[in-house]
Amino acid sequence: MLSPSLEQYLIHIYELSEQNIEIKSSELTVAVNMPLKKTIQALQRMHFQKYIVYLAYQPITITDKGKEMARYLLSRNALIEEFLDILQITEHREEEKEAMKQYLSQESLEAIDHFVCFVKQYPEIIARYKVYSKRKMRTKILEPLSEEK
């Protein structure tokens, strides 16, 4: 798998390639807001892993393997967004998304995918969950954790 920063680069490269935009390392540096040296190192790593073709002073091209990985990453990100929407997670949402992207196993992601598809097929479940959540039920599995001040 790719590191979070390499994922970001690959997604940008994929999106630009889908728009038939010639991709240069200097423009990618601006898009991801990273120093040129780090961008070149990232491009070299992705080239070595066969996600892209990177040659100095040449446009960057994405391989079929890179396209497949980028589509997977985009779908994983969309799945996590939908899951957090269902759970009505708003506080620390970005941190939650990043943690989930990095630490959930493929098996867990597939189970979440299955659950999200199920809930979308039966939207009344979401409505019932919202009512349940508002009631602040006393029945819980997770023990409360005292907040330190």
Side-chain angles (χ1 to χ4, degrees):
M1 288 302 281
L2 297 169
S3 68
S5 61
L6 289 183
E7 288 180 4
Q8 183 183 8
Y9 282 109
L10 187 61
I11 288 170
H12 274 291
I13 292 168
Y14 173 75
E15 289 172 339
L16 292 171
S17 73
E18 288 296 296
Q19 299 170 31
N20 293 320
I21 295 174
E22 189 174 276
I23 309 160
K24 297 178 184 168
S25 56
S26 58
E27 294 165 356
L28 189 60
T29 296
V30 173
V32 296
N33 193 26
M34 292 295 267
L36 183 60
K37 184 178 179 179
K38 288 218 181 259
T39 300
I40 290 171
Q41 289 172 343
L43 293 172
Q44 290 170 338
R45 276 192 300 245
M46 288 188 293
H47 175 79
F48 179 76
Q49 294 174 336
K50 306 215 183 313
Y51 290 113
I52 63 168
V53 176
Y54 171 70
L55 301 167
Y57 309 109
Q58 297 294 315
I60 300 162
T61 55
I62 189 166
T63 63
D64 289 340
K65 178 182 176 182
K67 288 178 184 177
E68 181 182 343
M69 177 59 82
R71 284 191 295 267
Y72 168 80
L73 294 171
L74 288 168
S75 67
R76 181 202 61 194
N77 295 351
L79 172 66
I80 291 170
E81 283 284 345
E82 284 194 54
F83 184 59
L84 293 175
D85 285 345
I86 290 168
L87 297 178
Q88 303 170 39
I89 303 293
T90 55
E91 249 182 86
H92 310 290
R93 188 174 175 109
E94 288 305 312
E95 293 89 348
E96 295 288 346
K97 281 189 324 193
E98 287 307 312
M100 291 175 78
K101 283 194 260 184
Q102 292 308 307
Y103 296 110
L104 286 176
S105 68
Q106 186 62 32
E107 181 183 11
S108 295
L109 286 168
E110 288 172 7
I112 290 170
D113 185 42
H114 192 70
F115 175 75
V116 168
C117 290
F118 172 77
V119 168
K120 286 170 81 175
Q121 189 171 355
Y122 300 100
E124 66 274 11
I125 291 171
I126 295 175
R128 292 181 71 173
Y129 176 72
K130 286 179 181 178
V131 169
Y132 177 83
S133 294
K134 285 181 183 174
R135 282 199 244 146
K136 307 273 187 201
M137 301 296 288
R138 294 241 181 242
T139 308
K140 291 184 176 187
I141 297 170
L142 186 64
E143 286 292 322
L145 185 61
S146 63
E147 293 183 31
E148 293 181 26
K149 294 183 181 185

